[in-house]
């Protein structure tokens, strides 16, 4: 059975809807998303936190579509072009501003669907979050254990729900380990390849309304960051976990290819760029 793993990462995509922050029109949204200082911060978080996991996946058989607008300012557009030229799993889609965000996401994903696939594992990934180095391998393996549930309806969510909440504020990186269901990161929506939806089409907090779901509660599979530029600063409901600091440091390296010093440096650099504290 061929399972395609196909993800979407929106990098400051200029379009209406699709975000928790409201703007009166496209001009106001453009001014917000394309603010030079904001873009510098987003890129810093993207390359420090999000990219390492994707560059070192133990299973390289996946596609991650990076979606942005054709007018994304320089040097950020050129940096994205250079990145996807170096990483075969990454694709860049430049989607003009659209009022209907779901249509825009579909336009970005559609060219990359594999017609040979029996099932497509759709996932969304925010540019300021991280997945474990074996996320793709685990999602594919775990799906095979429960594929009969998927066959019944052609839809199934697979939730790798143990992770770390990372708060970047006041020049510090602080962690809160927890089990948090359907966070949106390390969450895979398996669909038949001829279905028009993507992972974005389903509100991740309400997935049980549309499909059966399976939660896999170990090992650590995601890091969700919370910082001054977050679209939402609410960590959401969850079950707190106790991980000693030394064990946490080892998990960062082994599970995510990250280290505490780099994340502390990230928090300090964000502080120096003038946007810290709680998201607004």
């Amino acid at each position: 059975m061929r399972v395609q793993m196909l993800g979407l990462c929106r990098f400051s995509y200029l379009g209406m809807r699709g975000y928790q922050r409201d703007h009166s029109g496209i001009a106001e949204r453009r001014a917000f998303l394309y603010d030079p200082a904001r873009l510098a911060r987003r890129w810093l978080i993207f390359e420090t936190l999000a990219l390492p996991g994707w560059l070192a996946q133990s299973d390289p058989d996946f596609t991650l579509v990076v979606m942005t607008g054709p007018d994304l300012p320089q040097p950020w557009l050129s940096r994205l072009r250079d990145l996807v030229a170096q990483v075969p799993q990454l694709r860049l889609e430049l989607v003009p501003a659209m009022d209907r965000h779901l249509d825009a996401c579909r336009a970005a994903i559609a060219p990359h669907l594999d017609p040979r696939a029996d099932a497509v594992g759709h996932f969304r990934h925010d540019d300021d979050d991280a997945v474990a180095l074996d996320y793709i391998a685990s999602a594919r393996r775990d799906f095979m254990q429960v594929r009969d549930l998927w066959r019944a309806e052609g839809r199934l969510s697979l939730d790798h729900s143990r992770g770390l909440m990372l708060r970047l504020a006041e020049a510090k990186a602080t962690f809160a380990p927890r089990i948090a269901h359907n966070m949106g990161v390390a969450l895979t929506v398996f669909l038949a390849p001829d279905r028009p939806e993507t992972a974005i089409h389903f509100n991740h907090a309400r997935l049980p309304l549309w499909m059966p779901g399976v939660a896999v509660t170990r090992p650590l599979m995601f890091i969700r960051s919370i910082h001054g530029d977050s679209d939402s600063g609410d960590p959401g409901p969850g079950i707190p976990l106790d991980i000693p600091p030394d064990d946490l440091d080892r998990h960062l390296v082994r599970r995510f290819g990250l280290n505490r010093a780099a994340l502390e440096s990230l928090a300090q650099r964000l502080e120096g760029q003038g946007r810290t504290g709680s998201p607004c």
Side-chain angles (χ1 to χ4, degrees):
M1 181 179 191
R2 173 159 178 75
V3 178
Q4 181 189 19
M5 293 295 294
L6 179 60
L8 179 66
C9 177
R10 300 165 294 176
F11 187 84
S12 295
Y13 169 67
L14 178 61
M16 302 308 293
R17 311 184 191 182
Y19 300 94
Q20 295 195 32
R21 301 179 192 226
D22 290 326
H23 295 101
S24 61
I26 198 70
E28 183 180 355
R29 177 150 290 182
R30 178 182 283 106
F32 170 75
L33 289 177
Y34 290 174
D35 173 72
R38 178 190 177 277
L39 284 172
R41 292 190 298 267
R42 296 303 295 202
W43 184 267
L44 181 60
I45 300 172
F46 179 54
E47 68 175 354
T48 304
L49 182 61
L51 276 180
W54 294 117
L55 299 181
Q57 282 294 303
S58 61
D59 180 351
D61 184 13
F62 69 94
T63 298
L64 178 62
V65 178
V66 181
M67 170 186 174
T68 192
D71 60 345
L72 181 73
Q74 297 292 359
W76 318 112
L77 183 55
S78 290
R79 289 188 180 185
L80 285 177
R81 290 187 188 276
D82 291 343
L83 176 65
V84 301
Q86 299 170 29
V87 183
Q89 291 85 2
L90 300 186
R91 303 287 189 274
L92 180 62
E93 285 292 338
L94 305 181
V95 181
M98 297 174 65
D99 181 59
R100 296 188 177 276
H101 192 73
L102 295 182
D103 290 346
C105 293
R106 178 65 185 176
I109 284 291
H112 305 282
L113 284 164
D114 184 353
R116 303 167 300 163
D118 300 300
V120 180
H122 291 273
F123 57 93
R124 59 192 294 173
H125 189 79
D126 288 347
D127 60 14
D128 56 355
D129 292 336
V131 293
L133 304 179
D134 61 348
Y135 162 64
I136 294 295
S138 298
R140 182 174 276 117
R141 179 198 64 223
D142 294 340
F143 172 72
M144 296 303 287
Q145 301 296 316
V146 295
R147 57 186 168 178
D148 286 347
L149 284 174
W150 170 79
R151 285 190 173 119
E153 296 189 30
R155 297 177 177 181
L156 175 74
S157 66
L158 186 62
D159 173 28
H160 287 92
S161 52
R162 181 176 296 235
L164 303 171
M165 302 297 175
L166 167 62
R167 186 172 294 276
L168 301 165
E170 299 177 352
K172 296 179 181 179
T174 56
F175 296 90
R178 64 196 298 159
I179 293 174
H181 294 297
N182 293 339
M183 285 298 301
V185 56
L187 172 67
T188 316
V189 175
F190 289 90
L191 301 173
D194 58 350
R195 295 198 66 91
E197 303 94 347
T198 71
I200 299 289
H201 284 75
F202 301 96
N203 182 331
H204 58 86
R206 306 180 71 186
L207 274 175
L209 290 175
W210 299 293
M211 66 189 72
V214 175
V216 182
T217 59
R218 62 185 62 186
L220 288 170
M221 197 63 75
F222 71 84
I223 298 175
R224 183 189 174 213
S225 73
I226 301 170
H227 50 86
D229 285 306
S230 297
D231 193 40
S232 171
D234 183 4
I239 304 171
L241 302 172
D242 182 24
I243 301 179
D246 288 346
D247 289 345
L248 181 57
D249 289 346
R250 286 191 288 270
H251 285 309
L252 286 174
V253 174
R254 294 174 183 173
R255 298 293 303 147
F256 300 99
L258 300 170
N259 63 75
R260 187 185 293 269
L263 297 176
E264 291 285 358
S265 177
L266 172 62
Q268 292 163 11
R269 292 175 70 182
L270 292 174
E271 172 83 10
Q273 293 184 13
R275 188 66 180 270
T276 61
S278 298
C280 60

